[in-house]
Amino acid sequence: MKRIIFIIVTVAATAMLNACQKEKDAGATSAVKIANEWWVTLDSVGILDYYAIGHLRISTYNTSANDNSFFVDDNKNGYGFKIKATADYTNLSFSSMPLAANEYFIQGSSSFPETVNLTEGKIFSKAGHSKSGNIADSIHMKLEFSDNPGFIYEMNGVARTRFAEDDY
């Protein structure tokens, strides 16, 4: 009888441990480690929120190629840029090609920059805190826009948690 109880307990414990293991989502894209919405500020020369516009919601998401390229998109909430960047998913780092084409640029218009150079992009897992204090991933990148060459901006922020108290 003790042997049967031991076997039942062992099988149950094994089943519980296996149930807790995270399996790879078969429908996940290659950019799953980097894809998110983020609350960021546009900083420069040591000044946080350089233009005093507050927190911006930007997005990072996969391209249709589903490889190591993905989009960085401020959804026209800040400077107005959407560019393709290249990710190193192992190190959670990313950058764009120099003079990456801005998909929001309209020929003959001066509303958005024509190109953007993104460098030193990095995601830090669970290294930030949301507005209400929840632990969240943080993001950092340096940006240079073609309509202001030589002036380097930084975007710094945290992942959007989707809790109402964390939204700006």
Side-chain angles (χ1 to χ4, degrees):
M1 182 71 170
K2 286 183 181 182
R3 186 179 180 122
I4 293 173
I5 292 173
F6 175 76
I7 292 172
I8 291 172
V9 169
T10 304
V11 169
T14 303
M16 286 178 22
L17 288 174
N18 286 336
C20 293
Q21 292 178 356
K22 209 174 198 179
E23 291 184 24
K24 184 177 179 186
D25 180 3
T29 66
S30 61
V32 70
K33 291 181 177 181
I34 288 181
N36 210 339
E37 288 183 315
W38 307 87
W39 289 111
V40 298
T41 55
L42 189 61
D43 310 327
S44 191
V45 294
I47 300 171
L48 298 178
D49 193 11
Y50 188 77
Y51 291 112
I53 52 179
H55 286 82
L56 311 169
R57 188 169 73 191
I58 68 166
S59 305
T60 52
Y61 51 91
N62 68 296
T63 65
S64 61
N66 200 27
D67 55 10
N68 68 336
S69 62
F70 71 105
F71 285 108
V72 178
D73 186 350
D74 80 346
N75 304 301
K76 299 180 185 176
N77 289 324
Y79 216 94
F81 73 95
K82 176 182 174 183
I83 59 168
K84 213 179 268 189
T86 304
D88 176 345
Y89 295 122
T90 304
N91 297 316
L92 297 179
S93 60
F94 55 95
S95 63
S96 72
M97 295 294 291
L99 306 176
N102 181 4
E103 299 209 8
Y104 291 143
F105 176 72
I106 301 167
Q107 192 68 33
S109 169
S110 62
S111 58
F112 302 118
E114 184 174 1
T115 62
V116 180
N117 186 25
L118 186 156
T119 59
E120 298 182 33
K122 181 81 174 150
I123 292 175
F124 302 94
S125 183
K126 298 180 182 173
H129 289 87
S130 68
K131 183 178 174 184
S132 70
N134 292 308
I135 294 174
D137 293 348
S138 66
I139 191 168
H140 166 82
M141 66 188 91
K142 290 187 176 182
L143 300 159
E144 181 181 9
F145 300 101
S146 60
D147 62 351
N148 196 1
F151 195 80
I152 306 299
Y153 294 93
E154 290 187 30
M155 272 195 170
N156 298 293
V158 296
R160 182 171 179 234
T161 65
R162 290 171 177 68
F163 291 126
E165 63 269 18
D166 286 335
D167 284 346
Y168 288 87

